[in-house]
Amino acid sequence: MTTTPAGIDVRRITDAELPAWMRTARTGFLRPPTVTEADIAARRTAHVGSRTYGAFDAGRCVATFRSFPQELTAVGGTAVVADAISNVAVLPTHRRRGILSRLMAEDLTAAKDRGDVVATLIAAEYRIYGRYGFGPATSAAEWTIDVPRTGLDPNRPGPEDGGRVDLVDTEEVRKIGPELHERLRRGLPGAVSRTDVWWESDTGVLRVFGDWTEPFYAAYRSADGEVQGLVSYKSDDNWGDAKQPLNTATVDWLIATTPAAERALWRYLCSIDWVTRVKSGPRSPDDLLPHFLPDPRAAGITTQADWLWVRILDVVRALEARTYAGAGSLVLEVTDRAGYTGGRFLLEAGPDGASCRPTGRGADLTLDVASLASLWLGDTSASRLAALGRLGEERAGAALEADALLRTSGRPWCPDMF
């Protein structure tokens, strides 16, 4: 147990403290603080294997923090061990007292000691996590599709490649979903693992978030019967004047391992009777979606923002885990105010592998660990970071060399919220 200067205890919670912890978490996220026995039982199951922390003032829980084991796919397909952070909340009565800093230090120190390569989170607010060494590493975009404007032929809603789309129930989703997602994430930089608890929560077996409404699920199978895509979606019930249906189908998530599966599922969603709008949910910012439509302007972007944030805990292992399309070498001076990693490193990389080791050579680029996290998955340009003042180019041309070495042909994407 550790104690802040203000006398607030920061530690892992006991099982008996879980109800109070849940009420605090809900209050922090501006949700009704009522907690039922069923809610507690579901959370207890979901938290198995996690690290659940609380901050206590005179015995009362005033802040929450949880982390759990995760795998994150690096460029090239290697999965690295990540410390996934979630449920971060501080009561409005206890803000600005250093409580989050203490919770974060407790968790990241343990993650470093375990040998985790990175930590991950989805940031509700942009300005909070940079000071802890996190940098935005993937982005997401959401589209709203005006179905009548798409130009799709309503008389030809089915796949044109011999495949088929079928509605499936929750039991089948639990059978086919995990294997499909594993195939997807092995080839998608930025993707994270989904646990059995994730699938049970999404299909209503485990009601972690209280009331649950069963969505619709549709699966795409190729001509040879292989499941290559799966979508979860809901619809509202909206009728205009003269009994005109104006329903919106909202996608919870859509995963696909082939462009054919993606195309078939988006065409299916745009062919549902009564549906005049489709909301895509968070997608990759370079998603193929708009251009699956005869008129791509029918899909208008409604959200474009940062998504997955990464905090590198081991520079050497992180840079050696990913692949590099070209060949080159860079000396990186990495600063880390928290002291978990950092120093001067020589990265020598090529299509056959990479090595990263401490060096005494002069630095080509200087940057902090948060900026390195933004570069690591290939989504951000070193030249852009230099222009923004977040990276120092110590050798002329080094930023362009870093771009050639680190950037990827497709943008990384994390399909999940956690």
Side-chain angles (χ1 to χ4, degrees):
M1 181 171 65
T2 57
T3 304
T4 68
I8 295 173
D9 296 333
V10 171
R11 53 178 167 77
R12 293 196 187 192
I13 68 167
T14 66
D15 184 72
E17 292 166 335
L18 181 59
W21 185 95
M22 291 175 62
R23 284 191 291 272
T24 299
R26 292 192 177 191
T27 300
F29 283 92
L30 297 179
R31 296 171 181 163
T34 304
V35 176
T36 68
E37 289 299 323
D39 295 334
I40 296 167
R43 271 289 178 184
R44 187 171 283 124
T45 300
H47 282 208
V48 170
S50 68
R51 287 84 61 164
T52 305
Y53 296 90
F56 296 84
D57 183 0
R60 182 190 178 197
C61 185
V62 296
T64 63
F65 189 109
R66 181 173 74 94
S67 68
F68 57 92
Q70 185 186 72
E71 289 187 347
L72 170 64
T73 303
V75 176
T78 296
V80 301
V81 179
D83 175 54
I85 294 170
S86 186
N87 298 125
V88 178
V90 179
L91 290 182
T93 55
H94 285 71
R95 296 170 66 245
R96 303 294 183 265
R97 300 191 190 183
I99 294 175
L100 176 55
S101 295
R102 197 53 184 259
L103 286 163
M104 188 69 74
E106 192 88 2
D107 184 74
L108 292 181
T109 298
K112 178 67 176 180
D113 291 344
R114 282 193 305 271
D116 295 351
V117 179
V118 298
T120 60
L121 54 81
I122 307 291
E125 295 186 63
Y126 193 97
R127 298 181 64 184
I128 294 175
Y129 293 100
R131 64 179 183 265
Y132 302 115
F134 287 83
T138 78
S139 298
E142 298 187 52
W143 284 267
T144 297
I145 304 171
D146 182 351
V147 173
R149 187 180 170 183
T150 60
L152 293 169
D153 184 350
N155 297 314
R156 300 180 61 188
E160 300 173 349
D161 56 2
R164 58 181 292 162
V165 175
D166 296 302
L167 286 165
V168 294
D169 60 18
T170 55
E171 183 177 357
E172 188 165 5
V173 169
R174 288 192 294 275
K175 290 179 181 177
I176 65 177
E179 194 275 333
L180 174 69
H181 181 264
E182 279 299 298
R183 278 190 281 134
L184 172 71
R185 81 172 180 98
R186 284 198 295 266
L188 179 60
V192 297
S193 52
R194 289 181 178 177
T195 63
D196 291 341
V197 165
W198 189 98
W199 290 101
E200 290 175 355
S201 176
D202 189 78
T203 56
V205 173
L206 188 64
R207 311 242 173 137
V208 178
F209 302 106
D211 293 338
W212 177 81
T213 301
E214 182 175 355
F216 301 101
Y217 298 100
Y220 168 84
R221 290 179 172 85
S222 64
D224 61 5
E226 181 184 48
V227 177
Q228 294 183 346
L230 191 60
V231 62
S232 168
Y233 65 97
K234 298 182 179 73
S235 178
D236 62 6
D237 185 18
N238 181 28
W239 290 73
D241 296 336
K243 295 184 69 177
Q244 179 68 31
L246 300 171
N247 291 353
T248 297
T250 300
V251 174
D252 298 320
W253 51 265
L254 186 154
I255 56 175
T257 57
T258 66
E262 279 191 75
R263 179 169 56 248
L265 289 173
W266 288 119
R267 287 183 63 94
Y268 162 75
L269 291 164
C270 291
S271 72
I272 301 171
D273 287 342
W274 298 0
V275 169
T276 58
R277 291 198 314 167
V278 175
K279 300 184 75 170
S280 73
R283 306 291 302 166
S284 172
D286 62 349
D287 201 87
L288 298 174
L289 166 62
H291 300 284
F292 283 140
L293 307 175
D295 185 351
R297 294 182 184 178
I301 288 183
T302 52
T303 302
Q304 189 161 6
D306 56 280
W307 192 248
L308 182 75
W309 288 56
V310 169
R311 205 280 184 213
I312 293 178
L313 295 169
D314 189 322
V315 169
V316 170
R317 291 168 65 201
L319 290 176
E320 289 186 343
R322 58 159 291 171
T323 59
Y324 302 82
S329 64
L330 287 168
V331 177
L332 305 174
E333 180 80 40
V334 182
T335 59
D336 183 357
R337 289 188 301 172
Y340 296 114
T341 190
R344 189 173 297 174
F345 302 92
L346 171 61
L347 171 65
E348 295 180 303
D352 297 327
S355 69
C356 182
R357 61 183 185 274
T359 183
R361 287 171 46 178
D364 297 321
L365 300 174
T366 58
L367 68 169
D368 64 17
V369 70
S371 296
L372 181 62
S374 294
L375 292 171
W376 178 59
L377 288 176
D379 195 45
T380 302
S381 160
S383 299
R384 182 175 177 82
L385 291 184
L388 291 168
R390 292 178 52 193
L391 176 151
E393 186 177 46
E394 309 302 331
R395 177 174 59 80
L400 286 175
E401 292 177 21
D403 288 341
L405 200 60
L406 297 169
R407 295 300 296 273
T408 54
S409 58
R411 299 184 69 174
W413 177 46
C414 178
D416 290 273
M417 165 75 79
F418 55 89

